Every structure is written in C-alpha cells, then in structure tokens.
Amino acid sequence: MSKSQIITARIDPEVMELVDRVARAQGRSRSWLAARAIEKMVRAEVAMMDFIQQGEDDIAAGRFLTQEQMEEWVENRVRNRQAMRQAAE
C-alpha cells in the first residue's frame, strides 16, 4: 500500500498546456510535476510562516528595535564602514 495520497485540482486549460510542456521537456508525468510543485510551494509557505512566528515571538519577548534605534544602528554601520574605507586608503 502506498503512503502517498491523491489530491484533485481544477487547472485552467492554459496552465495545463504549460504543465504538459514542462512535463514533456523533463520526461515526467503531470502527477510527478504537480506533486513537486505543491511540495516546493508548501515548504516555502511553511518556512515563511515559521519566520513570521519567530518575529512575533521575538516581539512578544521584547527582542526588537524601535524605528529610531534601527535608524541609529544603520547610521553607525555606515559611519563605521566609511571609517574603515578611509583607514584603508
């Protein structure tokens, strides 16, 4: 018995033509291509959701900079970089 599951989706004819084109070019089936596309998309979405959650957790824990603090940090980085360039000359 296979561990994979079946999913059904409606695809516009124009998109289906593209699916068929890519599947032929790669020597793969529509099913294989659809499974890889879904996997890639959901992994990217989960990574983004995790990234956002980490940010929200950091904010809740007070680990963040205000706009003013961030601007000051950037200005300091620029100044330090300029000083390093001048020292190297």
Side-chain angles (χ1 to χ4, degrees):
M1 186 187 311
S2 175
K3 291 183 181 180
S4 64
Q5 297 188 10
I6 296 173
I7 186 170
T8 303
R10 295 188 185 277
I11 306 293
D12 293 334
E14 181 181 335
V15 174
M16 187 58 79
E17 287 178 24
L18 296 173
V19 168
D20 287 340
R21 182 178 169 189
V22 172
R24 274 192 310 273
Q26 294 185 1
R28 299 291 188 167
S29 67
R30 285 177 173 174
S31 178
W32 185 91
L33 191 65
R36 297 300 83 69
I38 291 169
E39 178 184 4
K40 184 176 180 180
M41 182 278 232
V42 296
R43 287 186 186 281
E45 286 296 317
V46 167
M48 179 58 77
M49 290 169 27
D50 291 347
F51 177 74
I52 290 168
Q53 186 62 56
Q54 181 180 354
E56 290 176 348
D57 292 346
D58 284 343
I59 289 169
R63 295 184 301 262
F64 64 91
L65 298 177
T66 65
Q67 178 71 29
E68 293 79 18
Q69 290 169 322
M70 191 67 200
E71 289 172 1
E72 182 180 337
W73 180 82
V74 169
E75 288 172 10
N76 286 336
R77 297 274 302 181
V78 169
R79 266 193 277 190
N80 289 342
R81 176 68 106 182
Q82 289 171 342
M84 289 174 61
R85 284 185 183 157
Q86 289 174 351
E89 293 176 352

